[in-house]
Amino acid sequence: MKGLILKDILNLKRHSKYYMILMGFYFILGVASEDFVMFGSMIIVFSAILPITAISYDEKNNWDSYALTMPIARTDLIISRYILGMIFLTLSFLITVILTIAFGSGAFKESILESLAILAVGIILMSVIFPVIFKYGVEKGRNFMMMVLLAPTGAIMLFSKLGFTLPDIEAGKMLLYSLPAITLTVLTASILISVSIYKKKEF
């Protein structure tokens, strides 16, 4: 398992400069506005995308076909991708919290809650996209990811035109408090679905 994760990290090193430049750009925006919500949101999205990039390298090089000739369980191949995603998401969360405390102007508790909410959204995003990628491949998975990212904005615009109002503060708090349970449920279901798909897949 460690070897699989290390392989993906080494493969991703070639794009590390690109992501560092993007992080630097959003960091400057965060410092200028004293609000790191946008910074946290963007690096969480990047963190959810990184495992997909690693999968795309494996797909191009037919890695899975080669890996399955070795004593590596299909379940391990799937779970290693989820662990890789969780590593990047957790690092992004910690970076966001540290920068928010150091440079942000908001209250500490609010900053932590915002960062946790963004982390939960990132995990849910990864969990929704991964089964599609393992089923249909990276290209279709990326298209689906764009639909998932744009869906909330489209839904908000549609609801506003239809006269629906945003949830009140109490409803927002209830949603925030239920996020850990929702996130864990979605992640667990995603892993089970992905493992089931991959076990039936032929290479």
Side-chain angles (χ1 to χ4, degrees):
M1 186 77 75
K2 289 181 181 178
L4 293 171
I5 296 169
L6 181 60
K7 171 192 69 68
D8 288 335
I9 292 173
L10 291 174
N11 281 337
L12 290 169
K13 281 183 67 177
R14 69 185 74 177
H15 284 291
S16 58
K17 290 182 180 179
Y18 169 72
Y19 289 111
M20 290 300 292
I21 291 171
L22 284 175
M23 285 180 63
F25 172 73
Y26 285 106
F27 170 73
I28 293 171
L29 287 181
V31 172
S33 63
E34 296 185 347
D35 185 356
F36 282 88
V37 174
M38 176 61 72
F39 174 84
S41 301
M42 293 311 300
I43 65 170
I44 287 292
V45 171
F46 292 146
S47 297
I49 291 173
L50 282 172
I52 299 173
T53 304
I55 295 171
S56 71
Y57 291 147
D58 289 346
E59 203 172 85
K60 289 177 182 177
N61 297 318
N62 295 316
W63 158 255
D64 292 59
S65 299
Y66 173 71
L68 292 174
T69 64
M70 298 184 286
I72 301 175
R74 293 193 177 213
T75 301
D76 290 343
L77 287 169
I78 293 296
I79 292 178
S80 68
R81 267 60 184 272
Y82 281 91
I83 293 175
L84 181 70
M86 290 302 300
I87 289 172
F88 286 127
L89 287 167
T90 303
L91 287 174
S92 298
F93 166 73
L94 293 174
I95 291 170
T96 303
V97 169
I98 292 169
L99 292 178
T100 301
I101 293 171
F103 299 101
S105 59
F108 176 76
K109 183 179 179 181
E110 291 178 358
S111 300
I112 295 295
L113 288 175
E114 286 178 354
S115 298
L116 283 171
I118 295 170
L119 174 63
V121 171
I123 295 172
I124 292 172
L125 174 64
M126 180 183 71
S127 301
V128 170
I129 294 169
F130 268 24
V132 177
I133 286 176
F134 292 126
K135 177 69 174 178
Y136 299 107
V138 172
E139 289 306 316
K140 290 183 179 179
R142 281 177 174 161
N143 294 333
F144 179 74
M145 180 180 67
M146 293 304 299
M147 292 172 58
V148 170
L149 289 173
L150 294 173
T153 303
I156 291 171
M157 293 176 63
L158 177 63
F159 289 155
S160 64
K161 287 185 177 181
L162 294 175
F164 291 96
T165 57
L166 292 174
D168 56 24
I169 295 175
E170 290 302 319
K173 286 182 178 179
M174 288 295 295
L175 177 61
L176 184 62
Y177 294 145
S178 62
L179 260 181
I182 294 172
T183 304
L184 182 60
T185 301
V186 173
L187 178 62
T188 303
S190 177
I191 293 172
L192 293 174
I193 293 169
S194 294
V195 169
S196 176
I197 290 170
Y198 201 75
K199 282 184 176 179
K200 298 174 184 177
K201 198 168 184 177
E202 295 183 2
F203 296 93

